[in-house]
Amino acid sequence: AIGCYRAYLQSWCVPEFDTSENGHYEATQIYHPLLTDPVGNNVDLKRGIILTGSNASGKSTMLKTLTIGAILAQSINTVPALYYRAPAYKIYTSLALTDDILAGESYYMTEIKSLKRIIDEGGQDGVPLLACVDEVLRGTNTIERIAASCVILKGLSSVKGMIITATHDLELARLLSDEYDNYHFEETIEGNDISFAYKMLPGAATTKNAIKLLEIVGYDEAITKEAARLAGIMERDGIGAI
């Protein structure tokens, strides 16, 4: 079965396992194995990262790519990449969460419980942790989200292993620059066309596209112009300015 899977993959390698205690994650042209025409990325992560970027640029897919790469490495000794070297991690994620109506839990309750189990597990037995978190605390208001996310991620930065977080909150990239390295994805907009390179780049994101995407899919011009005007005011004077 593993041989058939290797034949199916675009490219693959046998992983090298790092027995040191640094938790570094290194890979060459690693990609998501379910994509028809995947874009490979080179990563050399020496500490946790905060991944920013606009909508649909590739952040969530990158988290899943790194997680799947580690799981396949540690299970079937096969990684969808040209090269892979990392420790044997304990792997935890907080990805693609939903509310649970049967359990009576809102999205936010589901999310904070998911994060709590990562916090509780970190450093328990000395095995490096690989934890991937998508849009930390998206289920609550902006001010409390950024404040709580900052404190939680700062605490996790001392855990042995690798914490990888994707967020739209550019403030976190700035507030946590001493604890995390910043990477981003970006887009190219020409007229009403938007395209993505799906390449992870160093540094925090410098562009936004949410309102532009409203325009591209056909929202009324009155909506997009007013949204852009309000966004400009909030960016300049803060949320309370409107």
Side-chain angles (χ1 to χ4, degrees):
I2 296 170
C4 288
Y5 185 62
R6 288 176 171 180
Y8 156 80
L9 290 172
Q10 172 182 280
S11 59
W12 61 273
C13 69
V14 173
E16 296 180 17
F17 289 104
D18 188 347
T19 57
S20 68
E21 297 186 355
N22 54 32
H24 293 178
Y25 191 123
E26 184 179 0
T28 301
Q29 293 300 294
I30 192 168
Y31 64 94
H32 196 301
L34 293 183
L35 294 176
T36 303
D37 188 20
V39 175
N41 271 275
N42 299 335
V43 296
D44 185 6
L45 309 181
K46 295 180 172 61
R47 64 173 184 168
I49 69 169
I50 292 180
L51 187 57
T52 51
S54 55
N55 300 280
S57 60
K59 300 187 303 300
S60 297
T61 300
M62 191 65 196
L63 294 186
K64 294 170 186 175
T65 297
L66 296 174
T67 304
I68 290 169
I71 291 171
L72 293 178
Q74 294 171 208
S75 56
I76 62 171
N77 209 40
T78 303
V79 184
L82 298 180
Y83 173 80
Y84 174 96
R85 181 179 175 84
Y89 295 111
K90 283 186 301 185
I91 301 171
Y92 280 75
T93 67
S94 183
L95 305 172
L97 302 176
T98 62
D99 59 358
D100 188 340
I101 193 168
L102 296 181
E105 289 189 349
S106 67
Y107 178 88
Y108 181 68
M109 287 299 297
T110 302
E111 185 177 33
I112 61 176
K113 287 183 177 181
S114 178
L115 288 172
K116 179 69 163 49
R117 85 191 207 288
I118 295 174
I119 294 169
D120 290 345
E121 187 59 38
Q124 288 296 312
D125 55 12
V127 178
L129 184 71
L130 175 65
C132 291
V133 180
D134 196 11
E135 294 296 345
V136 58
L137 299 185
R138 80 169 85 182
T140 192
N141 65 82
T142 302
I143 292 173
E144 288 186 304
R145 179 178 68 247
I146 294 172
S149 297
C150 182
V151 176
I152 290 169
L153 291 173
K154 187 170 289 190
L156 284 173
S157 69
S158 62
V159 169
K160 177 183 175 183
M162 189 66 58
I163 310 298
I164 301 173
T165 304
T167 181
H168 283 286
D169 292 321
L170 297 179
E171 296 88 349
L172 289 177
R174 176 179 56 82
L175 291 169
L176 295 169
S177 60
D178 289 338
E179 291 81 18
Y180 290 82
D181 290 332
N182 283 304
Y183 287 88
H184 73 282
F185 286 96
E186 63 184 21
E187 75 287 343
T188 300
I189 297 176
E190 296 180 358
N192 281 332
D193 290 325
I194 186 167
S195 61
F196 303 96
Y198 303 118
K199 285 291 187 180
M200 193 168 79
L201 304 170
T206 58
T207 60
K208 305 180 182 71
N209 71 6
I211 294 174
K212 183 63 178 178
L213 285 174
L214 296 180
E215 181 182 329
I216 289 174
V217 302
Y219 272 66
D220 189 277
E221 185 179 5
I223 294 175
T224 58
K225 282 191 172 182
E226 179 63 8
R229 186 187 73 81
L230 291 176
I233 293 172
M234 288 187 284
E235 198 166 64
R236 184 191 67 211
D237 300 329
I239 294 173
I242 62 171

